[in-house]
């Protein structure tokens, strides 16, 4: 990325020299624009963050606005922090007081101030995806639906989509019910909205749609924030959804000083509601809008840029621009052909090992990008075998671990005891003798009276429960109330957390647990204390509600540490906004990348192509493509067709390296040979080598056929496909395959050694 430096005066303050002189002509036009709507079409690596930073600094330096008059909306907390630091570097203390952050963080802050205007308390909880799914699961059970048949995640997705389209429960019920699933969604949506209100809670989508309700129902509040935010800047505008479009349109309608930055070629989030028409139609929405393209790329070599351009030109819907660069030609793109995913992982890791030795690259210079999270496993195994450090971005978040969510639930109750999900999570964690029957009775009473579960607990003597259960509930309520009093007395967050762990018995239960997972869980809880201590140290007036809000809005990209000496593994979606000297794009196969049709929907190849473009443009110096000819899916070995995108790339910038034969690959696996196949230009031998039968006394794929339980006619259970019946059996030993008919998925051919079948007796 283009760098900037400022000479400093002797007192350490930034130079008085006009910092806009550091920009190229197009960047300078965008940064110096002051009044009226502005559309900046910023191609990959063209310095869009730099332009946003300099534009804000220019507005402040020339006194067009006070810091509090500027609202800058980003898509990651990391981007907001980076911009804040750069502006501080440019103009010093004049930058303090800016409203800068993600859509969710900024509007949750506004909602805290104005909560009472829409019937909430300022202490409202924020439900993450798992909290929402749990709440929906409970509602499904109450409506007598089996969550194993009607998946809570599916309902949650449909409700989220409706919210982002600003469709309320009543409207959904009246106009959008076209199937049984829609009817169930409508019923759940209505109850779910009521439950959130009763629990004084909002989900992620509410943080965007509740401000719209606030502004439309309370014109005085809207005018207050219109006058406050006279200049609005939005990064990654191509990824905004309808709710984000609407709320910023409301805020900008008075002064019309709306600056949006984006690249339609990098619009990759339609699956979560992003609407590319927001950027394509910007000039129609805002008359007299100025459009400025940023086309000079500072990130990538000419060959990488030529490769990216040849791909994105295949899309039909796009704003006109052509990226160019003064950078060197660089190396052509290397296409690696592999036998299977294990071969792919080994060869990619060997490339990394060789480049570190020969060219002096560091671990954190490399990124491996894939389409779906499950692809990381074989790469993780290969890195461990090679003893190369790696970091996985997008795996299980620290704050999503069970023990951390448990402790967070305790802390949430101290701020918002009405939060039903937090309460149900820890009322019997660790076990305090409040069983499922008691909880079900409490829930029934809450539903019949319309009261929150917490209020029912506060009047537990009136409930029809056994005396021992009433006593245990009373002790729990007393403990929470005492801890709330401790928090309100001004006790530090860290000391309150320690008391929570002590009084609840949670840490003691972990210490006494003799399982192998107990020690790591205890260490995670202690690490949470470190996080709270750090937050407290860096916030003079640290409040528990603010800490809980901050951690609830952490994204995968925020967890990426660019300074960690480790190779980065992440999905292409997670890589957005990042850059690496060397990038490997793996799994370039049909129905993987591009992803094929899913659940009755048509494949969106234009968006998949944009996603491929994003992956390519993360690379600065070297770029590798990789695909496998075979891949295991649900335990079944399947032939793969190379991605159509590989045939769309300009052939003049790609060279191909083919793989070894199957026999050579077997020898490679058996011997543990770690040498790469970089110098081999040979085609695959698709003839399988003979396998030797291996008798065994255990019920597994190595049974001789006569003793094997997996016979024709046997009923089996598959972890993904469910129950089925074996129709045919071929091969033996490690080559043993069965043809199984599954009620839900039809006929499948599976390898016994990988299918994890269980015989149903």
């Amino acid at each position: 990325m283009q760098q900037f430096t400022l000479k400093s005066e002797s007192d350490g303050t930034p130079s008085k020299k006009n910092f806009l002189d550091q920009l190229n002509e197009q960047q300078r036009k965008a940064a110096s624009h002051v009044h009226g709507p502005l559309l900046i079409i910023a191609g990959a690596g063209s310095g869009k963050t730099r332009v946003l930073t300099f534009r804000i600094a220019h507005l402040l330096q020339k006194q067009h606005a006070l810091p509090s008059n500027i609202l800058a909306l980003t898509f990651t907390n990391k981007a907001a922090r980076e911009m804040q630091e750069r502006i501080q570097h440019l103009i010093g203390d004049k930058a303090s007081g800016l409203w800068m952050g993600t859509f969710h963080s900024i509007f949750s802050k506004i909602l805290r101030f104005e909560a009472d205007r829409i019937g909430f308390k300022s202490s409202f909880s924020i439900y993450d995806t798992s909290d929402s799914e749990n709440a929906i699961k409970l509602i499904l059970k109450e409506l007598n639906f089996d969550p194993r048949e009607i998946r809570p995640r599916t309902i949650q997705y449909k409700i989220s989509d409706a919210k982002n389209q600003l469709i309320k429960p009543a409207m959904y019920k009246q106009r959008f019910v076209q199937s049984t699933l829609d009817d169930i969604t409508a019923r759940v949506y209505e109850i779910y909205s009521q439950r959130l209100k009763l629990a004084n809670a909002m989900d992620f989508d509410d943080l965007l749609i509740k401000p719209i309700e606030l502004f439309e129902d309370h014109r005085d509040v809207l005018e207050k924030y219109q006058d406050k935010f006279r200049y609005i800047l939005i990064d990654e505008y191509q990824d905004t959804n309808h709710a984000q479009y609407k709320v910023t349109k409301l805020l900008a309608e008075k002064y019309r000083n709306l600056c949006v930055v984006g690249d339609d070629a990098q619009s990759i989030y339609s699956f979560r509601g992003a609407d590319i028409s927001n950027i394509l139609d910007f000039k129609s929405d805002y008359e007299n809008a100025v459009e400025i393209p940023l086309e000079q790329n500072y990130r990538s070599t000419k060959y990488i840029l030529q490769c990216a351009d040849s791909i994105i030109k295949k899309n039909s819907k796009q704003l006109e621009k052509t990226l160019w660069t003064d950078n060197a030609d660089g190396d052509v793109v290397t296409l690696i052909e592999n036998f299977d995913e294990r071969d792919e992982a080994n060869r990619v890791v060997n490339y990394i090992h060789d480049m570190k030795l020969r060219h002096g690259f560091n671990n954190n210079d490399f990124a491996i990008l894939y389409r779906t999270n499950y692809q990381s496993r074989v790469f993780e195994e290969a890195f461990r075998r090679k003893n190369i450090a790696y970091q996985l971005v997008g795996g299980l978040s620290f704050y999503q671990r069970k023990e951390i969510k448990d402790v967070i639930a305790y802390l949430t109750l101290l701020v918002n005891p009405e939060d039903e999900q937090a309460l149900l999570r820890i009322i019997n964690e660790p076990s305090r003798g409040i069983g499922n029957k008691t909880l079900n009775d409490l829930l029934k009473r809450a539903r019949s009276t319309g009261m929150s579960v917490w209020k029912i607990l506060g009047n537990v003597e009136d409930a029809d429960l056994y005396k021992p259960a009433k006593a245990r509930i009373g002790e729990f309520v007393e403990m929470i109330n005492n801890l709330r009093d401790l928090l309100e007395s001004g006790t530090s967050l860290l000391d309150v957390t320690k008391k929570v762990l002590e009084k609840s018995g949670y840490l003691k239960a972990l210490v006494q647990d003799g399982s192998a997972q107990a020690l790591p869980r205890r260490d995670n809880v202690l690490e949470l204390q470190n996080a709270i201590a750090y937050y407290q140290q860096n916030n003079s007036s640290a409040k528990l509600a603010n800490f809980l809000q901050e951690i609830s809005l952490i994204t995968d990209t925020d967890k990426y540490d660019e300074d960690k000496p480790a190779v980065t593994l992440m999905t292409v979606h997670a890589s957005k906004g990042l850059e690496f000297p060397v990038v490997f794009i793996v799994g370039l196969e049909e129905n993987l990348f591009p992803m094929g049709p899913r659940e009755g929907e048509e494949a969106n190849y234009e968006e998949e192509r944009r996603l491929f473009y994003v992956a390519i443009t993360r690379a600065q110096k070297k770029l590798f493509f990789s695909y496998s000819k075979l891949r295991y899916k649900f335990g079944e070995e399947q032939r793969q067709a190379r991605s159509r995108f590989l045939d769309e790339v300009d052939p003049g910038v790609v060279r191909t390296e083919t793989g070894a034969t199957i026999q050579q690959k077997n020898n490679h696996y058996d011997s543990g040979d770690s040498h790469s196949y970089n110098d081999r230009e040979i085609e695959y031998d698709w003839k399988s080598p003979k396998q030797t039968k291996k008798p065994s006394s255990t019920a597994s794929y190595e049974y001789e056929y006569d003793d094997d339980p997996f016979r024709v006619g046997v009923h089996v259970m598959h972890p993904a496909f469910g129950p089925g019946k074996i129709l045919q059996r071929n091969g033996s030993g490690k080559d043993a395959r069965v043809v199984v008919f599954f009620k839900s998925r039809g006929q499948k051919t599976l390898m016994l050694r990988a299918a994890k079948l269980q015989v149903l007796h």
Side-chain angles (χ1 to χ4, degrees):
M1 180 63 71
Q2 186 181 7
Q3 300 295 315
F4 66 90
T5 55
L6 283 176
K7 295 180 180 179
S8 299
E9 306 289 358
S10 58
D11 63 356
T13 58
S15 168
K16 300 295 184 184
K17 182 182 177 182
N18 185 3
F19 48 74
L20 294 185
D21 292 342
Q22 299 177 59
L23 305 177
N24 67 38
E25 182 181 354
Q26 292 297 93
Q27 290 175 334
R28 192 160 52 251
K29 283 182 183 178
S32 60
H33 181 275
V34 176
H35 300 296
L38 172 65
L39 170 62
I40 304 173
I41 306 299
S46 61
K48 69 178 178 62
T49 303
R50 178 181 174 85
V51 169
L52 278 177
T53 300
F54 276 63
R55 185 170 190 271
I56 293 171
H58 177 71
L59 289 172
L60 296 173
Q61 184 85 313
K62 298 298 183 181
Q63 298 182 344
H64 293 295
L66 297 171
S68 59
N69 295 142
I70 297 175
L71 172 63
L73 296 164
T74 64
F75 271 79
T76 66
N77 298 302
K78 180 177 179 291
R81 287 194 300 270
E82 182 181 331
M83 286 175 59
Q84 185 87 44
E85 290 167 2
R86 290 191 184 189
I87 296 167
Q88 194 84 25
H89 178 72
L90 283 172
I91 61 174
D93 291 339
K94 290 180 182 178
S96 60
L98 286 166
W99 278 60
M100 183 178 293
T102 64
F103 274 87
H104 291 90
S105 64
I106 291 295
F107 287 107
S108 62
K109 186 177 179 180
I110 291 174
L111 288 170
R112 296 280 180 203
F113 290 133
E114 312 292 345
D116 62 316
R117 302 295 291 267
I118 54 173
F120 283 80
K121 299 175 185 175
S122 62
S123 59
F124 63 81
S125 301
I126 299 174
Y127 279 9
D128 63 17
T129 304
S130 65
D131 295 327
S132 296
E133 284 184 23
N134 288 334
I136 288 169
K137 182 178 181 180
L138 189 58
I139 294 169
L140 285 170
K141 286 181 177 179
E142 292 173 7
L143 293 174
N144 295 317
F145 292 110
D146 187 345
R148 290 172 297 183
E149 295 180 0
I150 308 297
R151 296 174 60 203
R153 179 170 295 185
T154 302
I155 303 296
Q156 193 268 338
Y157 176 82
K158 290 177 74 66
I159 291 174
S160 176
D161 185 57
K163 284 189 173 187
N164 285 318
Q165 296 300 319
L166 305 182
I167 301 168
K168 295 182 179 180
M171 184 190 300
Y172 190 93
K173 188 174 183 179
Q174 291 171 4
R175 297 169 52 186
F176 294 91
V177 174
Q178 298 177 346
S179 67
T180 301
L181 186 60
D182 290 338
D183 181 60
I184 295 170
T185 301
R187 295 168 66 186
V188 173
Y189 187 7
E190 184 176 19
I191 299 171
Y192 175 65
S193 298
Q194 295 167 355
R195 295 279 170 85
L196 284 174
K197 187 74 172 288
L198 189 63
N200 189 35
M202 298 185 193
D203 61 21
F204 284 158
D205 299 312
D206 287 328
L207 299 181
L208 299 178
I209 65 172
K210 293 298 181 187
I212 297 173
E213 293 177 14
L214 172 69
F215 294 151
E216 288 184 334
D217 295 343
H218 303 278
R219 189 73 193 179
D220 59 319
V221 177
L222 173 60
E223 290 178 357
K224 178 174 76 172
Y225 286 99
Q226 285 177 336
D227 287 331
K228 179 176 180 60
F229 301 131
R230 300 191 178 208
Y231 290 89
I232 301 172
L233 302 92
I234 306 176
D235 193 11
E236 306 285 9
Y237 193 64
Q238 76 280 350
D239 291 328
T240 53
N241 60 30
H242 184 60
Q244 291 163 327
Y245 163 82
K246 182 68 178 289
V247 72
T248 50
K249 198 170 192 299
L250 284 169
L251 285 173
E253 67 183 5
K254 184 172 184 178
Y255 293 99
R256 294 174 54 80
N257 293 324
L258 176 63
C259 167
V260 302
V261 183
D263 179 7
D264 58 298
Q266 298 185 67
S267 178
I268 58 174
Y269 289 109
S270 67
F271 68 93
R272 66 184 192 197
D275 187 351
I276 193 173
S277 67
N278 290 347
I279 191 168
L280 295 177
D281 298 339
F282 183 83
K283 294 182 73 175
S284 301
D285 291 333
Y286 295 90
E287 292 181 10
N288 304 319
V290 174
E291 179 180 330
I292 300 176
L294 304 181
E295 298 176 308
Q296 183 175 1
N297 177 283
Y298 293 92
R299 176 186 299 158
S300 305
T301 63
K302 287 180 180 176
Y303 279 138
I304 292 173
L305 208 59
Q306 188 176 336
C307 175
D309 190 61
S310 66
I311 279 291
I312 204 61
K313 292 297 186 189
K314 302 292 192 300
N315 271 7
S316 58
K317 298 177 182 177
Q318 54 184 297
L319 296 171
E320 193 62 37
K321 63 181 175 302
T322 301
L323 292 185
W324 60 275
T325 184
D326 282 334
N327 294 342
D329 288 344
D331 296 334
V332 294
V333 180
T334 300
L335 170 60
I336 310 169
E337 293 182 346
N338 306 286
F339 168 59
D340 60 15
E341 66 265 47
R342 187 179 172 193
D343 181 34
E344 179 180 50
N346 286 335
R347 295 182 70 196
V348 167
V349 171
N350 284 332
Y351 269 105
I352 290 173
H353 181 261
D354 290 346
M355 280 189 281
K356 286 171 60 182
L357 292 178
R358 296 179 185 179
H359 304 293
F361 284 109
N362 298 314
N363 283 341
N364 60 344
D365 290 329
F366 299 95
I368 298 176
L369 308 182
Y370 36 77
R371 183 63 179 83
T372 58
N373 275 309
Y374 75 79
Q375 292 172 257
S376 71
R377 179 185 60 82
V378 288
F379 290 97
E380 292 183 73
E381 292 172 356
F383 278 122
R384 286 196 290 267
R385 284 195 298 270
K386 202 74 172 178
N387 199 27
I388 295 177
Y390 67 90
Q391 63 172 323
L392 182 64
V393 179
L396 182 63
S397 162
F398 175 78
Y399 290 104
Q400 290 298 316
R401 298 179 188 277
K402 178 190 179 302
E403 60 275 14
I404 301 303
K405 284 188 72 72
D406 287 345
V407 179
I408 294 299
Y410 272 106
L411 296 176
T412 299
L413 278 190
L414 306 190
V415 176
N416 178 24
E418 308 293 335
D419 188 328
E420 183 176 290
Q421 286 302 306
L423 178 59
L424 294 177
R425 184 179 188 93
I426 51 85
I427 191 171
N428 199 42
E429 184 67 54
S431 178
R432 50 178 59 93
I434 304 174
N436 286 335
K437 184 181 183 307
T438 299
L439 288 177
N440 286 332
D441 289 341
L442 291 170
L443 283 170
K444 286 178 183 176
R445 185 173 177 82
R447 304 303 181 237
S448 65
T449 61
M451 296 170 64
S452 69
V453 179
W454 178 253
K455 283 189 171 63
I456 296 295
L457 294 183
N459 297 283
V460 72
E461 290 302 325
D462 298 334
D464 184 19
L465 298 172
Y466 290 114
K467 273 192 175 182
K470 289 182 180 181
R472 291 164 191 149
I473 290 171
E475 291 169 0
F476 173 78
V477 171
E478 183 181 10
M479 176 189 70
I480 296 298
N481 282 332
N482 288 340
L483 290 168
R484 293 186 73 201
D485 291 340
L486 187 68
L487 177 67
E488 291 171 4
S489 70
T491 304
S492 73
L493 303 190
L494 181 59
D495 288 340
V496 168
T497 304
K498 289 178 178 178
K499 279 293 182 185
V500 165
L501 293 171
E502 175 193 339
K503 297 297 184 184
S504 67
Y506 195 87
L507 197 57
K508 182 180 179 181
L510 280 180
V511 172
Q512 292 176 343
D513 184 348
S515 70
Q517 296 81 23
L519 187 59
R521 286 176 176 172
R522 187 203 65 180
D523 290 344
N524 285 337
V525 170
L526 296 178
E527 180 59 29
L528 176 63
Q529 290 188 44
N530 294 336
I532 291 172
Y534 180 81
Y535 177 80
Q536 189 172 280
Q537 180 182 337
N538 289 275
N539 293 271
S540 55
S541 57
K543 293 183 178 180
L544 180 56
N546 294 343
F547 173 75
L548 294 173
Q549 173 174 303
E550 188 171 298
I551 63 174
S552 72
L553 299 176
I554 290 175
T555 66
D556 283 343
T557 307
D558 294 322
K559 299 192 289 288
Y560 164 65
D561 183 359
E562 62 186 10
D563 297 321
K564 187 174 182 178
V567 179
T568 300
L569 281 76
M570 58 176 24
T571 64
V572 181
H573 281 101
S575 74
K576 181 77 176 296
L578 303 177
E579 56 188 28
F580 303 89
V582 185
V583 169
F584 291 83
I585 307 173
V586 300
L588 282 166
E589 299 142 32
E590 283 295 291
N591 296 318
L592 181 57
F593 200 175
M595 191 74 76
R598 289 294 183 271
E599 297 182 359
E601 297 180 358
E602 292 184 6
N604 188 344
Y605 291 119
E606 292 234 335
E607 175 151 326
E608 290 290 311
R609 192 174 286 110
R610 291 194 295 268
L611 190 60
F612 187 38
Y613 174 83
V614 166
I616 292 170
T617 54
R618 299 311 95 199
Q620 295 172 299
K621 298 178 181 178
K622 292 179 180 291
L623 177 62
F624 294 80
F625 297 154
S626 175
Y627 78 94
S628 300
K629 294 187 176 182
L630 291 177
R631 186 174 294 273
Y632 279 100
K633 293 184 177 179
F634 300 111
E636 181 180 0
E637 190 177 58
Q638 298 180 0
R639 288 184 181 245
Q640 297 293 100
R642 61 184 252 161
S643 171
R644 68 187 66 196
F645 295 157
L646 295 176
D647 298 322
E648 295 177 354
V649 172
D650 182 345
V653 299
V654 180
R655 70 181 180 91
T656 302
E657 292 196 354
T658 59
T661 65
I662 289 179
Q663 185 60 55
Q664 287 171 320
K665 207 64 61 193
N666 285 339
N667 294 339
H668 167 61
Y669 291 159
D670 294 340
S671 66
D673 179 21
S674 63
H675 295 295
S676 67
Y677 298 100
N678 300 358
D679 56 344
R680 300 188 180 177
E681 296 282 340
I682 48 183
E683 291 298 320
Y684 284 92
D685 175 8
W686 291 100
K687 295 179 181 178
S688 299
K690 293 181 179 179
Q691 299 289 338
T692 304
K693 292 181 180 181
K694 186 176 180 182
S696 172
S697 59
T698 59
S700 73
Y701 63 85
E702 293 178 343
Y703 260 78
E704 291 290 348
Y705 183 68
D706 290 342
D707 301 319
D708 199 326
F710 300 106
R711 297 168 177 268
V712 173
V714 168
H715 291 270
V716 293
M717 175 65 73
H718 188 278
F721 302 145
K725 182 180 180 180
I726 297 178
L727 302 180
Q728 188 178 338
R729 166 70 182 260
N730 299 302
S732 61
K734 291 184 179 180
D735 281 344
R737 287 177 170 82
V738 288
V739 177
V740 185
F741 178 77
F742 296 98
K743 268 188 176 181
S744 60
R745 297 294 183 92
Q747 189 169 302
K748 297 284 184 180
T749 301
L750 307 174
M751 294 194 71
L752 277 178
R753 64 187 171 95
K756 298 181 181 178
L757 292 175
Q758 291 182 339
V759 174
L760 296 177
H761 297 288

